[in-house]
């Protein structure tokens, strides 16, 4: 039992931190630009595929640096030449634009790299078990993922809250004209923020690629859950996204390990009811519904605390 | 005169080419080409295209060119029906599909109803991989033919092997939450408890189909249960990710699988270091000692850069050609009648038969294990490891009764 609790906690934290790495970019973009970027997970996928391609040519470490830069540059270009024009037509147009972009990126990726998973492996340097708990190994690579996520979280917080750049960036959202009059190029700030946000997603992609599978549907698989993280954490709140990521990682992992069902708590249904439609609901285990738990959480949060855990404004 | 002859000599083959180009036999390939099943769907497509090329090189079927029409169903039954209708509208009279018994069930119903309503325009459904037994039992259809052994046949063979392994004491079942996965879990439970009452089932897990990105929580649970053996029908990315998570966590158990050989599986097994402890049940594999299939495998890998996952696809296409030649027609009704009860020398060697009662193909079945292999044999995914035969079940030992009551036209 203790073994299961310890390993599940670790697994939950690991998955949660990976989610955070992706959600952080989405949160930054949303809090700064007010754009809910549907294509965010696509940049995560681009990161993974660029990472795969660059690591094939130059090795993993250059890939970790150059793939996010490349994806970030594409992100910045998307903002400069796409979003900025679309922005004039309001938020719905923006949403639809990023929504379409997600499909376009998926299609392009599957044309270039095919639909079969590519063989993206962790660097040999990190290909060993870091430590063993109750005879379960934890690969060094996963610890590396954890470390990168923490570094990025702390770094982002510091930049946004403690530096001049962060100050200008925050001000540019609420008072763009004021910031403009002070001599800052607001449009360029927006472009850079979008680029940094998508680069963060790409970092997550390069890191997660070897650990999960790198294939052309990976964006579609993680996309929806990112929105859960961002909404549950509170739109635009970085610490909120951090807490929500961990929460969702843990909820999902622990739910998998629980075999209980209504039947096991309240006893099986009477023989006359066993064949009815109720028996299905009665006998479904928590483990079976684990994958929908985050969405359940989303619904509950939207009902009882619409601004999210740490959100500041009603949206 | 000479010039005229020359002109005719040039024009005739062109006329012939034009005529035969019009008369192609189109086979609609309805399988996932995107989403979680894409890796297997894409592999299957390349296999069928290779086989169509092979037939065309020999002059096609009754002189008609064979063409594979790829249609993406996203492993979704509803989407499959749309694709099937689209295919039929464009002149397809044969569809083939394999991944997902939920899809197969929907397609089989669809084709059966379509044929009732459109006499003279019948469509045949060739199933090369969907192994839910219900398709050839209660829900059997005259228009459906299955080349893969159904999951009951495979489980029967697998448990016959497992019952003689004294090291198996605690078994964990993990399967995808849909008709096929559920049928694997129930038959595994029933057959194991009948053949080896002392074996304990320490876990029986169902998880969503092709939606899990990280199996680490499931592997933690397997480990906590103290299982020494896992039985799973998982396919596509679900088996690759499951094995990968097991490799990361260092889970040391024996694996009895249906599809560990699919894309990504062999790489993950190599990482676990489970030398000859992952077993797979199939109708064939690269290292079967049979010269013709090995030659085919060599040529196939050279051209497609994949291992042949579906020896049954070879049987399907070659039997289709043979049946059309026997019927002297590519009309689906006549081909179906020719296929019924047809005996056929299968790809990996040995006699197979398409049972008339339920349209289930019976063939020799192999249990193989993955690990180190003698030099010169086929490895998988460039791991250096390959499949080695541990047991062969002859055709007559694989035959199970059917409950099918078929309506024939």
């Amino acid at each position: 039992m203790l073994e299961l609790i310890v390993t599940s906690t670790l697994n939950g934290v690991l998955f949660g931190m990976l989610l955070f790495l992706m959600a952080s970019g989405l949160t930054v973009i949303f809090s700064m630009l007010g754009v809910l970027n549907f294509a965010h997970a696509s940049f995560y996928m681009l990161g993974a595929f660029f990472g795969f391609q660059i690591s094939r040519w130059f090795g993993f470490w250059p890939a970790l640096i150059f793939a996010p830069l490349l994806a970030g540059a594409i992100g910045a270009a998307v903002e400069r030449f796409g979003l900025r024009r679309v922005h004039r037509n309001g938020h719905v147009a923006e949403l639809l634009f990023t929504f379409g972009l997600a499909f376009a990126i998926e299609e392009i990726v599957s044309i270039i790299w095919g639909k079969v998973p590519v063989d993206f492996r962790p660097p040999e340097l990190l290909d060993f078990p870091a430590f063993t708990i109750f005879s379960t190994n934890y690969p060094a690579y996963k610890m590396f993922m954890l470390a990168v996520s923490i570094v990025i979280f702390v770094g982002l917080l510091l930049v946004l809250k403690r530096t001049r750049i962060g100050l200008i960036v925050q001000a540019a959202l609420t008072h763009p004209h004021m910031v403009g009059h002070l001599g800052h190029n607001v449009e360029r700030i927006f472009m850079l923020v979008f680029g940094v946000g998508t680069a963060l997603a790409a970092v997550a992609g390069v890191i997660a690629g070897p650990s999960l599978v790198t294939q052309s549907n990976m964006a579609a698989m993680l996309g929806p859950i990112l929105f859960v993280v961002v909404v549950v954490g509170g739109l635009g709140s970085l610490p909120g996204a951090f807490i929500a990521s961990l929460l969702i990682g843990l909820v999902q992992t622990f739910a998998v390990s629980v075999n209980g069902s209504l039947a096991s708590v309240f006893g099986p249904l009477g023989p006359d009811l066993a064949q009815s439609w109720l028996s299905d609901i009665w006998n479904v285990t928590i483990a079976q519904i684990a994958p929908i738990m985050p969405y359940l959480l989303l619904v509950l949060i939207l009902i009882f605390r619409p601004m999210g855990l740490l959100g500041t404004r009603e949206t | 005169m000479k010039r005229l002859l020359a002109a005719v000599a040039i024009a005739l083959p062109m006329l012939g080419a034009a005529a035969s180009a019009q008369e192609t036999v189109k086979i609609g390939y309805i399988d996932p080409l995107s989403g979680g099943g894409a890796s297997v769907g894409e592999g299957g497509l390349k296999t069928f295209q290779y086989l169509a090329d092979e037939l065309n090189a020999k002059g096609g079927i009754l002189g008609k060119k064979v063409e594979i029409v790829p249609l993406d169903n996203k492993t979704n039954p509803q989407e499959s029906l749309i694709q099937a209708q689209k295919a039929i509208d464009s002149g397809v009279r044969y569809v083939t599909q394999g991944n997902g018994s939920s899809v197969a069930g929907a397609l089989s119903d669809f084709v059966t109803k379509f044929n009732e309503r459109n006499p003279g325009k019948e469509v045949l459904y060739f199933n090369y991989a969907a192994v839910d037994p219900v398709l050839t039992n209660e829900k059997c259809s005259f228009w459906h033919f299955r080349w893969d052994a159904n999951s009951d046949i495979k489980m029967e063979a697998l448990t016959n092997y497992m019952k003689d392994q004294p090291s198996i004491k605690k078994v964990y079942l993990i399967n995808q939450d849909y008709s096929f996965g559920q049928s694997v879990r129930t038959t595994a439970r029933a057959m194991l408890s009948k053949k080896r009452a002392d074996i304990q089932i320490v876990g029986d897990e169902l998880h969503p189909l092709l939606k899990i990105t990280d199996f680490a929580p499931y592997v933690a649970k397997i480990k906590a249960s103290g299982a020494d053996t896992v039985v799973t029908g998982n396919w596509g990315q679900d088996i690759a990710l499951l094995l990968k998570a097991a490799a990361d966590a260092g889970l040391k158990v024996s694996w009895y699988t249906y599809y560990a050989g699919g894309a990504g599986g062999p790489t993950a097994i190599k990482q676990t270091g489970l030398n000859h402890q992952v077993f797979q049940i199939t109708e064939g594999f690269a290292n079967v000692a049979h010269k013709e299939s090995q030659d085919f495998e060599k040529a196939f890998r050279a051209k497609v850069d994949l291992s042949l996952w579906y020896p049954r696809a070879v049987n399907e296409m070659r039997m289709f050609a043979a049946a059309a030649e026997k019927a002297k027609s590519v009309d689906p009704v006549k081909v179906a009648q020719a296929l019924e009860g047809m005996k056929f020398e299968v790809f990996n060697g040995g006699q197979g038969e398409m049972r008339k009662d339920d349209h289930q193909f019976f063939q020799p079945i192999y249990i193989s294990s993955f690990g180190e292999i003698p030099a010169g044999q086929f490895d998988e995914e460039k791991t250096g490891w390959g499949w080695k035969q541990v047991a062969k079940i002859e055709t007559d030992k694989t035959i199970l009764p059917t409950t099918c009551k078929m309506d024939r036209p």
Side-chain angles (χ1 to χ4, degrees):
Chain A
M1 194 60 201
L2 181 67
E3 174 180 357
L4 196 59
I5 291 175
V6 172
T7 49
S8 292
T9 311
L10 260 171
N11 282 328
V13 169
L14 280 167
F15 187 62
M17 288 308 277
L18 185 69
L19 276 182
F20 169 72
L21 208 50
M22 279 181 277
S24 62
L26 191 61
T27 306
V28 167
I29 290 175
F30 182 81
S31 64
M32 299 303 142
L33 307 181
V35 178
L36 200 50
N37 180 14
F38 267 102
H40 197 73
S42 308
F43 285 96
Y44 151 78
M45 175 166 75
L46 277 183
F49 276 95
F50 289 161
F52 160 72
Q53 202 60 51
I54 297 173
S55 69
R56 184 144 273 200
W57 290 332
F58 306 109
F60 181 81
W61 303 106
L64 187 57
I65 295 169
F66 291 109
L69 285 180
L70 198 57
I74 294 177
V78 163
E79 201 281 336
R80 173 70 185 78
F81 301 106
L83 263 184
R84 194 174 296 179
R85 283 156 200 260
V86 176
H87 182 69
R88 293 179 203 132
N89 303 321
H91 281 307
V92 175
E94 272 174 358
L95 274 187
L96 291 176
F97 173 74
T98 56
F99 196 65
L101 190 64
F103 283 101
I105 292 178
E106 178 171 342
E107 217 37 55
I108 292 169
V109 163
S110 64
I111 287 170
I112 299 177
W113 285 281
K115 281 166 177 160
V116 182
V118 295
D119 183 20
F120 191 9
R121 292 184 198 181
E124 275 178 30
L125 188 62
L126 291 173
D127 203 6
F128 62 93
F131 56 87
T132 309
I133 293 181
F134 298 111
S135 79
T136 296
N137 292 341
Y138 279 88
Y141 188 72
K142 287 205 162 175
M143 293 303 122
F144 168 71
M145 285 165 69
L146 194 64
V148 172
S149 309
I150 292 171
V151 167
I152 286 187
F153 173 60
V154 175
L156 266 182
L157 265 189
L158 286 179
V159 168
L160 284 177
K161 302 281 178 198
R162 294 269 180 273
T163 66
R164 221 178 125 74
I165 304 171
L167 207 65
I168 298 168
V169 165
Q170 288 189 50
L173 176 68
T174 45
H175 303 89
H177 293 294
M178 198 61 196
V179 174
H181 287 310
L182 286 172
H184 300 290
N185 185 339
V186 176
E187 294 204 316
R188 188 187 294 160
I189 292 173
F190 281 0
M191 185 177 87
L192 287 178
V193 167
F194 201 86
V196 170
T198 48
L200 280 176
V203 172
V206 183
I207 295 180
S211 174
L212 308 175
V213 260
T214 304
Q215 63 180 12
S216 61
N217 72 326
M218 62 194 289
M221 284 186 70
L222 276 172
I225 206 155
L226 279 192
F227 290 99
V228 179
V229 170
V230 174
V231 173
V232 168
L235 285 166
S237 164
L238 205 55
F242 184 76
I243 293 170
S245 308
L246 284 183
L247 188 66
I248 287 168
L250 288 171
V251 162
Q252 219 174 340
T253 324
F254 271 97
V256 164
S257 60
V258 178
N259 270 333
S261 59
L262 286 173
S264 64
V265 179
F266 299 106
L269 288 176
D272 49 328
L273 282 171
Q275 288 305 313
S276 71
W277 57 272
L278 260 178
S279 72
D280 275 342
I281 299 177
W282 207 247
N283 291 319
V284 144
T285 63
I286 306 278
Q288 257 171 291
I289 57 165
I292 61 159
M293 296 292 257
Y295 302 99
L296 202 63
L297 191 65
L298 173 73
V299 172
L300 291 178
I301 282 278
L302 283 176
I303 293 173
F304 295 107
R305 198 181 156 80
M307 74 288 263
L309 292 176
L310 295 184
T312 43
R313 57 197 153 153
E314 298 267 356
T315 39
Chain B
M1 188 63 198
K2 253 186 182 171
R3 279 168 90 182
L4 187 69
L5 266 179
V8 170
I10 292 166
L12 263 182
M14 283 172 73
L15 271 177
S20 66
Q22 279 164 359
E23 282 202 72
T24 52
V25 181
K26 288 187 184 172
I27 301 174
Y29 174 83
I30 304 179
D31 256 317
L33 297 172
S34 62
S39 58
V40 282
E42 191 102 341
L45 176 61
K46 287 180 178 163
T47 309
F48 275 100
Q49 276 166 341
Y50 183 89
L51 290 165
D53 290 346
E54 186 190 61
L55 281 177
N56 288 335
K58 287 178 192 157
I61 294 178
L62 296 174
K64 295 181 176 67
K65 197 168 161 277
V66 184
E67 186 194 337
I68 305 291
V69 184
L71 298 152
D72 180 12
N73 70 0
K74 308 183 175 79
T75 334
N76 176 332
Q78 201 54 41
E79 183 69 25
S80 304
L81 303 190
I82 298 170
Q83 297 297 338
Q85 187 62 54
K86 204 170 108 187
I88 292 167
D89 291 344
S90 72
V92 165
R93 306 282 301 273
Y94 294 90
V95 293
T96 192
Q97 179 272 346
N99 297 301
S101 290
S102 46
V103 172
L107 263 183
S108 180
D109 283 349
F110 174 82
V111 167
T112 307
K113 277 196 197 109
F114 179 88
N115 291 346
E116 271 168 23
R117 290 171 193 160
N118 298 280
K121 288 186 185 166
E122 287 85 353
V123 175
L124 273 195
Y125 166 30
F126 293 162
N127 169 2
Y128 71 94
V131 295
D132 190 339
V134 83
L135 291 165
T136 44
N137 284 319
E138 298 92 79
K139 285 190 156 192
C140 69
S141 159
F142 175 77
W143 310 102
H144 164 266
F145 289 85
R146 166 154 61 200
W147 270 271
D148 199 0
N150 74 40
S151 85
D152 285 356
I153 300 174
K154 289 186 181 184
M155 191 52 81
E156 175 83 32
L158 208 54
T159 47
N160 278 345
Y161 178 77
M162 288 173 76
K163 76 174 197 286
D164 299 329
Q165 308 298 316
S167 62
I168 300 178
K169 293 189 177 73
K170 290 180 171 180
V171 172
Y172 198 100
L173 308 170
I174 177 164
N175 286 293
Q176 295 154 324
D177 196 359
Y178 78 117
S179 58
F180 160 66
Q182 283 161 3
S183 124
V184 170
R185 96 197 266 223
T186 42
T187 32
R189 265 179 180 277
M191 288 179 176
L192 279 176
S193 66
K194 201 171 78 189
K195 292 172 191 174
R196 272 281 301 275
D198 61 311
I199 286 182
Q200 209 185 334
I201 309 270
V202 291
D204 188 352
E205 189 85 48
L206 287 176
H207 64 78
L209 173 67
L210 301 174
K211 287 209 167 56
I212 309 282
T213 42
D214 187 4
F215 274 92
Y218 293 94
V219 167
K221 211 170 159 185
I222 296 174
K223 196 143 204 179
S225 73
D228 52 45
T229 302
V230 175
V231 176
T232 176
N234 279 13
W235 55 269
Q237 68 178 30
D238 282 346
I239 184 73
L241 285 174
L242 177 61
L243 287 167
K244 201 165 179 170
D248 280 348
L251 177 70
K252 300 278 178 213
V253 294
S254 307
W255 293 80
Y256 287 86
T257 76
Y258 281 36
Y259 302 113
T267 307
I269 302 171
K270 179 74 193 289
Q271 284 171 2
T272 60
L274 291 174
N275 194 2
H276 290 299
Q277 284 194 62
V278 178
F279 301 89
Q280 178 177 241
I281 181 148
T282 50
E283 78 289 7
F285 55 97
N287 290 323
V288 171
H290 183 247
K291 186 169 181 312
E292 274 167 56
S293 63
Q294 293 203 349
D295 288 346
F296 183 97
E297 181 86 30
K298 208 174 278 172
F300 184 79
R301 287 187 180 201
K303 189 165 174 217
V304 184
D305 202 25
L306 276 179
S307 313
L308 180 69
W309 300 331
Y310 305 116
R312 51 193 180 262
V314 185
N315 294 333
E316 175 186 314
M317 291 291 273
R318 289 182 181 170
M319 276 177 79
F320 175 32
E325 260 142 45
K326 190 171 137 199
K328 295 191 181 61
S329 162
V330 289
D331 180 63
V333 184
K334 289 181 185 145
V335 170
Q337 280 157 351
L339 275 173
E340 288 199 312
M342 187 183 221
K343 287 190 169 39
F344 196 78
E345 173 77 19
V346 296
F347 173 69
N348 284 115
Q351 188 77 232
E353 184 185 352
M354 181 59 78
R355 183 159 70 183
K356 192 179 177 186
D357 307 341
D358 58 349
H359 295 185
Q360 168 69 53
F361 191 60
F362 289 91
Q363 57 202 319
I365 298 183
Y366 301 85
I367 297 176
S368 51
S369 67
F370 191 70
E372 286 163 5
I373 39 165
Q377 290 202 346
F378 292 105
D379 72 341
E380 299 292 327
E381 299 186 347
K382 303 180 182 75
T383 55
W385 283 13
W387 295 101
K388 186 185 89 179
Q389 181 171 324
V390 295
K392 179 180 180 186
I393 300 102
E394 294 298 342
T395 310
D396 53 338
K397 297 259 167 48
T398 67
I399 291 169
L400 286 182
T402 174
T403 59
C404 172
K405 289 183 190 68
M406 196 178 279
D407 292 327
R408 289 192 164 71

